[in-house]
Amino acid sequence: MRIAVEGCCHDELEIIYDVLEHIQHVEDTKIDLLLMCGDFEATRNPDDLMCMAVPAKYRDMKYFYKYYKGEKKAPILTIVIGGNHEASNYMQELPYGGWLAPNIYYLGYAGIVNVGGLRIGGISGIYKGCDYHKGHFEKPPYTDSAMRSCYHTRSLEVFRLKQVYKDVDIMLSHDWPLHAVQAGNKEQLCR
């Protein structure tokens, strides 16, 4: 199985899918799965834009709504997690995961799926100590603070993932794992 991995998407779906189509053509190969590690920005409509914790200049309807409305279909099975730039209202509608659009699956706050014999897990959001031990209390209409806290990772999601007794082959997170820079060329990365 050939898997492509994308960091932050920022609703650049058409660009990402075009690049993957180009790679498949040039390398004469087929990409079977696309994993996206947050900041997906699943905005269906202008109301969703108002539920994104981003400066107003970044609130822009780009491509996702076309996939949501069925005008387009993701050409590759796409699995996503949430980051810290999301339409929080939509992501909260699917806390345990679900289809955001045809062929685009959200793992929820934390989840695991099986794809082609691989167990793929993910935990959405970013760590923020002050919210980690709280439950999910946020609800629309969001205050400015709640619009941000709703994408903070909670201990409940970590607890749920710890209950899994089978190995996970691939794990997605939006936050970098602790000490991740130590595994690579730290000098080049930090310059």
Side-chain angles (χ1 to χ4, degrees), residues 8 14-15 21 39 53 55 71 73 75 77 82 86 88 94 99 103 106 118 129 142 149 156-157 161-162:
C8 298
E14 288 188 6
I15 295 168
E21 179 64 35
D39 287 357
E71 295 173 15
K73 182 179 177 189
L77 175 59
E86 301 297 349
S88 298
L94 299 167
W99 296 101
N103 228 20
Y106 169 55
L118 290 175
Y142 298 111
S149 67
L156 174 62
E157 278 74 58
L161 288 173
K162 284 183 173 182

Side-chain angles (χ1 to χ4, degrees), residues 89-104:
N89 58 327
Y90 189 24
M91 298 305 209
Q92 276 198 305
E93 291 176 18
L94 299 167
Y96 302 108
W99 296 101
L100 295 174
N103 228 20
I104 301 174

